[in-house]
């Protein structure tokens, strides 16, 4: 087996490294820019003893390999199983997710608009070709659900005009509407659950990174920290790092954001550079707020479509595991995690961002003014790449870039390596790393990356 270099110690790089060891291959190294592993699935501990994830990460998967890996890494005791309780804050009230199946919780006028829109949407030609995500949303959800939830919420989470996004990625990512069920549950209210993550997992200790730290003992001494790749010479097959050192390879797995990776190539043709500029993404600010008080709710997370609220989602993080608050004592401490994306289309608001997030918690009545003195930690995390946008012309650009890279024995995989949101979770990432290794070793097809 030739010498392999892996760029990035997130779930994809670690998944590939683990698979290499599992298949008895030792001739590889993982080069990670940071001083710790995990990438977007890492966690940080602050001085007060709160553990913060980059974003509220939950674990669920339909891949048997991933589920076996999970159990091997953490054991049954090491993973907490949690029933999803996700909500939408709509004006002064909470509506269960999926929104369209819990319309009975809305004020009467909004409920009526949603129901009329759903009925009207049935008159739309079902086989009509939609040009973008925005058109698809209006056609499938009707004007009311679109106006009250789908459009404002998606504008916040993607920070990208919905007219520039495709809708080919939806599959398990969006709860699509069943208008009969929506009508039925509006008139005869009941809780309707949805989706592959109705029950999810979370590491019992160390936060989200707990899963990835558990892989390290299987990798021997193959992870190199603080190795930031600054240039890759695709003909010489050599990586140069910011500390001036270099590494040679015969095969390279990169998990860097594809668009940034292309700028590091020594010889990429103009067509590849131009294609990489078409890839859209957003960035993320996460604000963690640690309080000396028990959790104010049993909910898991809440979506906020209100454009004035500075975050699109809030997670009651300490409800996932007591280990992530000081002393593991959730009778005295709790933690909340708020996420806000921004992009070239939608900049962050000016001013003290953390303060505006805390004010948003009070405005949305998650916290009362009397809770503010109990705040003992405000922790900011920035992710320069958060969501790879499934834009209308993404796949054409990807084809140009990936076919050039593979002609040079460079394989770009993972959330931002493949640039495919629909295969961008931890399980997809691990599987992409595993499957590219299997392809190298015995020519088997990569199912997840090609799906
Ligand atoms: C807002 C948000 C919510 C999410 N929620 C969930 C969830 O609920 N459940 C779930 O399963 N997944 C979730 N994910 C996805 C999860 O974070 C990803 O699946 C996973 O982290 C992707 O792994 P990766 O290895 O492909 O990339 P990354 O995690 O991005 O890792 C890439 C690594 O490359 C390193 N690197 C970058 N540049 C260089 C360089 N020049 N040289 C060397 N190293 C470099 C980085 O430091 C990083 O460690 C979420 C992600 C986000 C952003």
């Amino acid at each position: 087996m030739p010498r392999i270099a892996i760029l990035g110690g997130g779930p994809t790089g670690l998944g590939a490294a683990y698979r290499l060891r599992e298949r008895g291959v030792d001739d590889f190294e993982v080069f990670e820019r940071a001083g710790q592993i995990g990438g977007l699935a890492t966690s940080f501990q602050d001085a007060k003893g709160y553990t913060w994830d980059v974003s509220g990460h939950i674990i669920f998967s339909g891949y048997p390999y991933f589920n076996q890996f999970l159990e091997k890494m953490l054991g049954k005791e090491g993973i907490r199983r949690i029933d999803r309780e996700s909500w939408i804050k709509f004006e002064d009230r909470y509506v269960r997710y999926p929104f369209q199946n819990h319309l009975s919780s809305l004020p009467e006028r909004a409920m009526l608009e949603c129901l009329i829109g759903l009925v009207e949407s049935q008159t739309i030609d079902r086989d009509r070709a939609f040009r973008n995500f925005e058109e698809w949303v209006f056609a499938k959800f009707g004007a009311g659900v679109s106006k009250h939830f789908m459009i404002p919420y998606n504008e916040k989470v993607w920070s990208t005009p919905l007219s520039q996004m495709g809708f080919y990625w939806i599959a398990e990512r969006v709860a699509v509407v069943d208008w009969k069920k929506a009508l039925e549950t509006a008139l005869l209210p009941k809780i309707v659950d949805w989706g592959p993550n109705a029950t999810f997992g979370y590491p019992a200790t160390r936060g989200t990174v707990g899963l990835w730290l558990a892989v390290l003992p299987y990798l021997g001494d193959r992870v190199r920290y603080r190795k930031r790749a600054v240039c890759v010479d695709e003909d010489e097959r050599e990586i140069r790092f910011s500390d001036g050192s270099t590494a040679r390879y015969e095969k390279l797995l990169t998990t860097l954001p594809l668009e940034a990776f292309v700028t590091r190539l020594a010889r990429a043709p103009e067509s590849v550079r131009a294609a990489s500029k078409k890839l859209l993404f957003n960035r993320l600010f996460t604000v963690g707020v640690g309080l000396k008080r028990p959790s104010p709710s049993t909910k898991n997370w809440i979506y906020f479509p209100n454009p004035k609220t500075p975050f699109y989602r809030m997670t009651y993080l300490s409800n996932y595991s007591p280990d992530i608050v000081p002393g593991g004592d959730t009778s005295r401490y709790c933690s909340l995690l708020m996420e806000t994306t921004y992009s070239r289309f939608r900049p962050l608001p000016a001013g003290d961002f953390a303060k505006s997030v805390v004010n948003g918690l009070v405005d949305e009545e998650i916290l009362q003014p009397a809770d503010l003195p109990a705040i003992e930690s405000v922790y900011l995390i920035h992710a320069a790449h958060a969501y790879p946008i499934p834009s209308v012309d993404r796949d054409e650009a990807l084809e140009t870039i990936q076919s050039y890279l593979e002609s040079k024995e460079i394989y770009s995989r993972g959330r931002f390596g493949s640039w495919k949101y629909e295969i961008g979770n931890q399980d997809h990432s691990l599987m992409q790393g595993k499957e590219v290794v299997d392809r190298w070793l015995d020519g088997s097809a990569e199912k997840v990356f090609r799906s």
Side-chain angles (χ1 to χ4, degrees):
M1 184 71 195
R3 179 166 177 69
I4 293 164
I6 299 173
L7 284 182
T12 308
L14 295 174
Y18 176 78
R19 184 60 170 170
L20 284 164
R21 291 291 283 220
E22 203 173 41
R23 300 215 41 189
V25 179
D26 279 333
D27 196 11
F28 70 90
E29 281 176 301
V30 179
F31 299 101
E32 167 55 51
R33 151 184 86 172
Q36 65 184 64
I37 51 130
L40 287 167
T42 201
S43 312
F44 305 94
Q45 203 179 46
D46 70 15
K48 295 274 184 187
Y50 293 90
T51 299
W52 301 109
D53 292 342
V54 176
S55 123
H57 274 60
I58 61 172
I59 302 176
F60 58 97
S61 184
Y63 300 120
Y65 180 86
F66 178 86
N67 289 325
Q68 283 156 18
F69 165 84
L70 181 64
E71 196 165 323
K72 184 167 176 192
M73 292 304 116
L74 297 179
K76 279 201 189 332
E77 299 299 310
I79 181 106
R80 291 173 59 85
R81 297 279 167 195
I82 302 163
D83 290 333
R84 187 187 64 196
E85 233 210 89
S86 57
W87 297 79
I88 295 144
K89 184 81 193 290
F90 183 84
E91 297 175 359
D92 61 345
R93 62 191 71 195
Y94 289 101
V95 179
R96 267 188 189 267
Y97 182 84
F99 185 82
Q100 65 271 15
N101 289 341
H102 301 98
L103 299 177
S104 61
S105 307
L106 297 180
E108 268 177 16
R109 175 152 296 281
M111 178 170 75
L112 198 61
E113 281 177 14
C114 291
L115 291 175
I116 290 171
L118 279 167
V119 172
E120 277 174 353
S121 71
Q122 296 313 300
T123 64
I124 290 173
D125 175 5
R126 315 302 294 169
D127 298 326
R128 178 185 133 194
F130 305 111
R131 280 173 303 182
N132 55 52
F133 184 47
E134 187 175 38
E135 283 189 8
W136 182 89
V137 166
F138 274 105
K140 298 284 177 191
F141 289 81
V145 174
S146 299
K147 170 183 145 190
H148 289 298
F149 177 61
M150 284 299 286
I151 297 291
Y153 176 70
N154 278 288
E155 282 178 347
K156 278 178 89 173
V157 75
W158 295 104
S159 286
T160 301
L162 305 187
S163 59
Q164 295 204 23
M165 291 174 59
F167 55 92
Y168 49 81
W169 52 277
I170 279 145
E172 289 186 341
R173 293 301 202 148
V174 176
V176 181
V177 77
D178 172 346
W179 69 277
K180 284 184 193 152
K181 191 178 268 177
L183 284 178
E184 185 191 323
T185 51
L187 297 172
L188 305 169
K190 63 176 177 188
I191 296 170
V192 181
D193 224 330
W194 171 83
N197 61 358
T199 299
F200 62 87
Y202 190 81
T205 60
R206 302 187 286 189
T208 289
V209 79
L211 170 60
W212 303 105
L213 288 172
V215 186
L216 283 181
Y218 293 86
L219 305 186
D221 59 352
R222 294 296 186 286
V223 183
R224 312 275 173 259
Y225 295 95
R226 302 193 192 287
K227 284 285 184 186
R228 187 163 72 87
V230 290
C231 183
V232 172
D233 186 322
E234 56 271 52
D235 285 350
E236 295 299 321
R237 299 197 182 182
E238 186 178 82
I239 310 163
R240 188 156 47 79
F241 298 97
S242 57
D243 60 7
S245 63
T246 57
R248 301 296 292 262
Y249 63 85
E250 286 169 54
K251 283 189 192 302
L252 171 62
L253 168 62
T254 164
T255 68
L256 272 52
L258 190 52
E259 146 276 343
F261 180 73
V262 168
T263 67
R264 288 170 168 74
L265 289 173
R267 299 163 199 274
E270 189 42 43
S271 58
V272 170
R273 293 191 192 282
S276 74
K277 294 201 176 83
K278 290 189 179 155
L279 299 177
L280 303 180
F281 64 99
N282 66 21
R283 305 178 193 271
L284 176 80
F285 257 115
T286 302
V287 179
V289 172
L291 292 108
K292 196 167 184 179
R293 58 152 292 170
S295 179
S297 169
T298 59
K299 296 181 174 72
N300 303 141
W301 67 86
I302 304 169
Y303 301 111
F304 293 89
N306 182 352
K308 291 197 184 119
T309 303
F311 38 88
Y312 65 87
R313 180 167 60 174
M314 190 219 73
T315 302
Y316 289 98
L317 197 62
S318 53
N319 289 356
Y320 290 0
S321 167
D323 181 71
I324 56 181
V325 296
D329 187 354
T330 42
S331 69
R332 293 177 66 209
Y333 301 96
C334 74
S335 57
L336 314 177
L337 197 71
M338 281 62 65
E339 294 161 44
T340 304
T341 59
Y342 68 101
S343 73
R344 66 183 164 98
F345 301 108
R346 185 183 151 107
L348 267 188
D352 184 338
F353 182 65
K355 198 170 166 192
S356 74
V357 166
V358 172
N359 290 341
L361 288 173
V362 176
D363 292 344
E364 288 285 11
E365 297 180 338
I366 301 296
L367 295 180
Q368 303 305 314
D371 290 319
L372 297 183
I375 295 179
E376 50 173 33
S377 176
V378 176
Y379 196 82
L380 257 86
I381 302 172
H382 182 249
H385 288 81
Y387 287 83
I389 309 293
S391 54
V392 171
D393 54 0
R394 178 197 75 177
D395 285 355
E396 207 184 321
L398 287 178
E399 178 55 33
T400 304
I401 304 166
Q402 294 283 17
S403 52
Y404 172 72
L405 294 180
E406 293 210 6
S407 74
K408 303 289 178 185
E409 290 288 349
I410 298 174
Y411 300 80
S412 187
R413 301 289 184 271
R415 182 175 176 95
F416 274 100
S418 74
W419 209 277
K420 291 184 178 172
Y421 170 72
E422 61 273 29
I423 49 167
N425 272 353
Q426 295 172 93
D427 62 330
H428 303 112
S429 301
L430 176 105
M431 291 303 295
Q432 288 183 60
K434 180 244 179 212
E435 289 186 352
V436 79
V437 166
D438 288 346
R439 175 178 162 193
W440 291 338
L441 292 177
D442 47 39
S444 52
E446 291 178 86
K447 293 196 187 116
V448 176
F449 175 63
R450 295 282 166 212
S451 62

